[in-house]
Amino acid sequence: MTLPKTFILKNSQEYKHAHFAFVLSLTLTIVFFFNAYDYQEGLWSVSWSIVTLAYLIGTVLQGVLIQLLKKDLRDKGEIQKRTRVLSTLQLLGITVGNVFITAFAFRVLRKEESIEYTLAYYMLLTNILIFTVSLFNIFKPYVSNTFLPSMSILALFIIFSLITVIIFGKIDLIQGGYSKLKWLGGVVLLAGFTGNLFGFVLGYSILLKTVIRDDSKIDRWNKFWLSITKNFTAMLGLLFVIFTFSISVISYGTFVDRFATENNYASMLMEPSLAYPFGTDDFGRDVFSRIIYGARISLTVGVITTIIPLVIGGFLGALAGYYKNTLDNVLMRILDVIYAVPGILLAIAIIAAFGSSTTNLIIALSVGSIPTYARTMRANVLSVSNLEFVEASKALGESEWKIIFKQVVPNSFAPMIVKASLTIGTAVIATSSLSFLGLGVESHIPEWGNILKVGSMYLETNPYLAIFPGIAIILLVLSFNFLGDGLRDALDPKLD
């Protein structure tokens, strides 16, 4: 049966992707346009004007591609070759950091869907972004001793990523084109050691289909990642999360701690420049370097304060849901007492009692989140524990602990993963909020909330001190939310 062309148009992922990339590119073009003009001096910034023009050209071309996509899908029911060829021009968008239209171009270039191809070009984009951000250090008065070796390794990974994209642009592992690619899986895994987790995922996907060859695992893997890779917003969220993590890892070799932590009174409150892309604060510290180092704290605290309540709350919720007639009332009433206290107030009380430190902040934020995870797991276990396979295990004489942790919990854990991905963003906001109030990470540590606190005192004279850390917080939280939505779509069977 041939599908109606209007149905193909409305349900085309490439068409939706094109519109989303257009809107984001247009938004950034407007932002850069207003930033290019200095209202006090009455002059245009040459560098910002060039960036604005580059984004404008990419946005206009994206609009043209949208019309061509619309015409192709309505008239032919599929994207035509001329549209795919024209989209190659959008690959140049990466030179100014426009990953939105670049990712769209990579997607359109390949006719058939491929998990490995998608992961490969996102790995390439991440490596390019990391290299570009790290490259700004050459304008500093001096660089770290490991700067050149680290940048050389990054350059090699970019070349290797590009080769991987070309390979998977022509080969599809699902169709069995993997006879000579067994070596590639192990090599790609090395890219993950730079923090680029796309390399780990891609490497495992290659090894799964070339070495392990377990059909049931391959089917589940393909189903999950096809759902994720089709979702452009989820992939953008994953891209920024992995980029933030990777730049945090790479910064140990490319950034100098001194610019972020030591006072330099000769460079106080300097405007953004090549040497100091985000300017300097009231102590002469480089805000750009401080935001990079602050990513480590924000990610570490956000992830740990999600894992701790996930494990503890999941364990308590599993016990409460399975032993619903004995432990349920006791555990849930205790957790209800904790749940009755607002999380941020509970965190403030704990920090006020034990002092301000990173460890106390993690404990404070974790305790308040335990009841929500316990409630979620309890609800999942209550529904799963009544299913036939659980009753069959009981009839066969399996111990209750084996039933809980080998059958009930694994089949109840998918919603917990989705919830965790969504609440990491909340943890990042809570971390920054408490640090902003002086109740989180120690004030001398470059954490995004601390950086924002300093910037808030100069909103009228030096607004960039608050704008850049604020944007970093917003982007990371949005990225985790986008990723959480994608995981929910991929893991929820009701949405199939």
Side-chain angles (χ1 to χ4, degrees):
M1 181 180 69
T2 304
L3 294 173
K5 292 175 182 178
T6 54
F7 178 85
I8 295 174
L9 178 63
K10 290 181 180 179
N11 290 275
S12 170
Q13 294 296 327
E14 290 83 0
Y15 191 62
K16 295 177 182 178
H17 186 157
H19 275 89
F20 195 78
F22 174 81
V23 171
L24 291 176
S25 183
L26 178 62
T27 302
L28 288 176
T29 302
I30 295 172
V31 171
F32 292 150
F33 174 78
F34 284 108
N35 196 61
Y37 185 72
D38 189 338
Y39 293 94
Q40 294 181 348
E41 300 292 335
L43 299 173
W44 290 90
S45 169
V46 176
S47 57
W48 281 110
S49 297
I50 293 174
V51 172
T52 304
L53 180 61
Y55 267 77
L56 179 61
I57 294 173
T59 304
V60 171
L61 181 57
Q62 187 70 13
V64 173
L65 288 171
I66 288 174
Q67 296 304 314
L68 290 176
L69 277 173
K70 186 176 181 179
K71 186 176 184 300
D72 290 347
L73 294 172
R74 280 186 173 176
D75 296 346
K76 306 293 184 179
E78 62 179 7
I79 302 174
Q80 299 300 295
K81 184 178 180 179
R82 76 176 190 291
T83 305
R84 298 186 191 277
V85 172
L86 185 61
S87 68
T88 57
L89 295 175
Q90 296 293 64
L91 295 176
L92 297 174
I94 194 60
T95 58
V96 289
N98 196 338
V99 296
F100 313 113
I101 61 174
T102 307
F104 164 78
F106 273 118
R107 179 170 189 164
V108 173
L109 280 176
R110 182 181 167 95
K111 187 174 182 180
E112 298 84 9
E113 290 181 336
S114 170
I115 296 170
E116 290 74 27
Y117 173 71
T118 304
L119 292 172
Y121 71 71
Y122 272 100
M123 179 177 69
L124 173 63
L125 291 177
T126 305
N127 284 330
I128 292 174
L129 289 175
I130 295 167
F131 183 86
T132 304
V133 171
S134 300
L135 196 61
F136 276 98
N137 284 290
I138 64 174
F139 299 105
K140 295 281 193 299
Y142 54 89
V143 296
S144 66
N145 295 331
T146 56
F147 179 76
L148 287 178
S150 299
M151 295 299 289
S152 300
I153 292 172
L154 283 175
L156 289 175
F157 275 125
I158 289 175
I159 296 172
F160 175 72
S161 300
L162 180 59
I163 294 172
T164 306
V165 171
I166 294 172
I167 290 174
F168 286 110
K170 299 179 179 179
I171 296 176
D172 192 345
L173 292 183
I174 297 178
Q175 297 177 358
Y178 49 69
S179 57
K180 298 181 180 180
L181 292 179
K182 294 179 181 180
W183 60 272
L184 189 60
V187 178
V188 171
L189 283 174
L190 293 175
F193 290 101
T194 64
N196 191 343
L197 300 182
F198 284 115
F200 277 126
V201 179
L202 176 58
Y204 177 77
S205 183
I206 296 171
L207 294 176
L208 178 65
K209 296 174 182 179
T210 59
V211 179
I212 302 175
R213 297 193 185 183
D214 186 328
D215 291 338
S216 61
K217 288 184 178 180
I218 292 174
D219 290 341
R220 289 195 299 269
W221 179 264
N222 288 337
K223 181 180 178 182
F224 174 79
W225 277 106
L226 278 175
S227 178
I228 296 291
T229 53
K230 285 181 179 179
N231 191 328
F232 180 51
T233 56
M235 289 302 295
L236 279 182
L238 185 59
L239 172 66
F240 188 77
V241 169
I242 291 179
F243 163 73
T244 306
F245 175 73
S246 188
I247 196 66
S248 301
V249 174
I250 291 296
S251 63
Y252 284 101
T254 56
F255 281 74
V256 179
D257 297 3
R258 196 171 299 171
F259 292 120
T261 57
E262 293 187 5
N263 300 339
N264 182 10
Y265 298 108
S267 304
M268 294 169 55
L269 298 175
M270 294 186 66
E271 296 285 332
S273 62
L274 288 176
Y276 305 105
F278 295 165
T280 59
D281 63 10
D282 53 347
F283 289 100
R285 298 170 298 191
D286 178 31
V287 177
F288 178 66
S289 299
R290 286 176 66 78
I291 288 177
I292 297 299
Y293 279 91
R296 302 176 186 174
I297 306 296
S298 296
L299 279 177
T300 301
V301 175
V303 171
I304 293 178
T305 55
T306 300
I307 292 176
I308 291 176
L310 173 66
V311 174
I312 298 176
F315 177 77
L316 296 177
L319 294 180
Y322 190 81
Y323 298 105
K324 48 184 174 292
N325 295 325
T326 53
L327 290 177
D328 189 16
N329 284 330
V330 177
L331 290 175
M332 296 312 296
R333 296 300 76 78
I334 294 173
L335 293 173
D336 283 343
V337 173
I338 301 175
Y339 190 72
V341 182
I344 194 71
L345 292 181
L346 181 62
I348 291 173
I350 293 174
I351 293 172
F354 298 101
S356 175
S357 69
T358 305
T359 302
N360 290 340
L361 175 63
I362 292 173
I363 295 172
L365 293 176
S366 299
V367 170
S369 300
I370 289 175
T372 58
Y373 282 95
R375 284 168 170 255
T376 302
M377 179 58 86
R378 175 181 176 272
N380 297 333
V381 170
L382 282 173
S383 61
V384 171
S385 59
N386 293 321
L387 297 179
E388 293 180 355
F389 67 89
V390 177
E391 297 295 334
S393 298
K394 291 179 180 178
L396 291 172
E398 286 280 357
S399 67
E400 292 185 335
W401 286 99
K402 284 186 177 180
I403 294 174
I404 293 173
F405 293 106
K406 287 190 176 181
Q407 297 186 33
V408 176
V409 171
N411 286 282
S412 307
F413 210 68
M416 297 287 284
I417 296 174
V418 176
K419 182 176 179 60
S421 63
L422 290 169
T423 53
I424 290 179
T426 305
V428 171
I429 291 178
T431 302
S432 300
S433 300
L434 290 171
S435 297
F436 184 86
L437 296 172
L439 298 170
V441 178
E442 295 91 330
S443 59
H444 66 279
I445 295 178
E447 190 274 332
W448 288 350
N450 288 334
I451 303 170
L452 189 61
K453 181 181 180 180
V454 173
S456 66
M457 296 185 291
Y458 297 93
L459 285 175
E460 294 185 359
T461 56
N462 305 87
Y464 54 86
L465 293 178
I467 291 173
F468 292 118
I471 290 175
I473 294 170
I474 291 170
L475 288 178
L476 187 59
V477 172
L478 275 177
S479 298
F480 276 116
N481 289 341
F482 288 156
L483 178 58
D485 289 338
L487 288 174
R488 181 200 60 200
D489 296 344
L491 295 172
D492 191 348
K494 295 179 182 178
L495 299 176
D496 289 345

